[in-house]
Amino acid sequence: MKLKFLGTSHGVPAADRYCSSLMVETGGKTFIIDAGAPLIDLLLRNQKKPSDVSAIFTTHAHGDHVDGLVSFCDLASWYYKDVSVDIFVTEHALTGAIFNFLSVIHSPPDTSRLRFTRATAGVVYDTPELKVTYLPTKHLPTRPAYSILLEAEGKRVLITGDMSNHLERKDFPSIVAEEHLDLVISEMAHFGIDHLTPYLETCIADRMIITHVFPLHKFAEIEALAGKYPFPIDIAHDGDEIEL
Ligand SMILES: [Zn+2]
Ligand SMILES: [Zn+2]
């Protein structure tokens, strides 16, 4: 399983960071986790055709995780007619908003090729190449948000998605302390190192990578964690690749 960070910024892009998007290649197929803009541009710059993408999974319907879906769906509708993709969103309203927008600027998407599914807690995708499980987080008080567990090639990767401010209500996925994971990719825009420390102490993963970092002083704080835990903790940068 190969992972490539297309975008690692927090809610706002920066000169050297796009918003959240992760490309996963496994079993000869390509998947996208979160669709921050400019998803389709980044695919092309990474020598991928839009039609290479088998499925897109989004953790929640905040712009930094779904804005890239709009132009992806637009171009897949009228130009890249070989695209055939499963798109997992967390709210029906987002599907409706994309349909409305595309209807205004061109025409509504062909739902036989762009297949929207509203993801809910549990296994949402189970193919020989990849199994995807959605685990609820408390990031949004009244709307759904999820962590995503990927399982492929005997490896298990947890992507936390966004979580609650200060990890209130114990909002870090309990699976990190209960089950072996090859990699945990955690956000760090909504809480500090102090809030994360109790979870680092019980984490049994082989490796952790921190993304979605804000404010920027946290970079130095994360680097200072080196050697404190039995597993390495690294910071994700746009373009970083991980092979598991
Ligand atoms: Zn976010
Ligand atoms: Zn968010």
Side-chain angles (χ1 to χ4, degrees):
M1 174 163 33
K2 200 159 90 179
L3 311 179
K4 184 160 191 176
F5 289 92
L6 301 181
T8 63
S9 200
H10 62 105
V12 179
D16 57 350
R17 294 196 292 170
Y18 292 109
C19 285
S20 295
S21 189
L22 178 73
M23 182 165 74
V24 178
E25 295 174 271
T26 183
K29 297 204 168 182
T30 301
F31 304 93
I32 298 292
I33 314 297
D34 274 333
L39 173 60
I40 204 158
D41 314 54
L42 289 167
L43 286 168
L44 296 169
R45 286 171 206 196
N46 282 281
Q47 293 75 51
K48 288 287 177 189
K49 300 191 295 290
S51 59
D52 291 333
V53 179
S54 294
I56 299 172
F57 304 90
T58 59
T59 56
H60 64 295
H62 269 166
D64 54 320
H65 300 256
V66 300
D67 280 352
L69 263 186
V70 179
S71 58
F72 182 95
C73 292
D74 173 32
L75 289 162
S77 290
W78 72 268
Y79 187 77
Y80 297 108
K81 294 208 177 222
D82 54 350
V83 171
S84 177
V85 63
D86 291 300
I87 300 170
F88 292 83
V89 297
T90 53
E91 299 182 47
H92 285 309
L94 178 63
T95 308
I98 292 173
F99 272 62
N100 288 340
F101 183 74
L102 264 57
S103 300
V104 170
I105 62 170
H106 199 271
S107 57
D110 175 352
T111 53
S112 68
R113 295 191 296 107
L114 281 75
R115 297 174 295 276
F116 284 81
T117 299
R118 188 176 80 102
T120 52
V123 177
V124 304
Y125 190 83
D126 196 355
T127 65
E129 295 82 23
L130 180 68
K131 181 177 177 184
V132 179
T133 305
Y134 273 50
L135 306 168
T137 78
K138 303 180 179 88
H139 176 50
L140 302 171
T142 59
R143 296 164 51 200
Y146 297 92
S147 298
I148 289 180
L149 175 66
L150 306 178
E151 295 174 271
E153 301 176 32
K155 307 287 184 184
R156 308 176 85 218
V157 177
L158 180 80
I159 297 139
T160 65
D162 287 3
M163 292 174 284
S164 65
N165 288 334
H166 312 313
L167 294 175
E168 282 160 2
R169 294 170 286 151
K170 298 192 189 309
D171 194 23
F172 198 84
S174 57
I175 190 174
V176 301
E178 295 161 353
E179 297 180 26
H180 174 258
L181 299 167
D182 295 272
L183 172 64
V184 175
I185 299 172
S186 176
E187 69 121 334
M188 195 175 284
H190 299 92
F191 51 87
I193 298 282
D194 289 353
H195 303 112
L196 184 61
T197 297
Y199 302 100
L200 293 176
E201 283 168 359
T202 56
C203 176
I204 55 172
D206 285 353
R207 183 174 184 186
M208 185 175 287
I209 297 178
I210 310 286
T211 187
H212 213 267
V213 177
F214 189 79
L216 303 184
H217 66 77
K218 288 181 187 167
F219 280 104
E221 295 174 9
I222 297 164
E223 282 164 5
L225 294 175
K228 283 195 177 173
Y229 296 96
F231 48 89
I233 302 174
D234 299 307
I235 299 170
H237 301 92
D238 286 24
D240 283 355
E241 270 182 299
I242 312 289
E243 187 121 28
L244 292 174

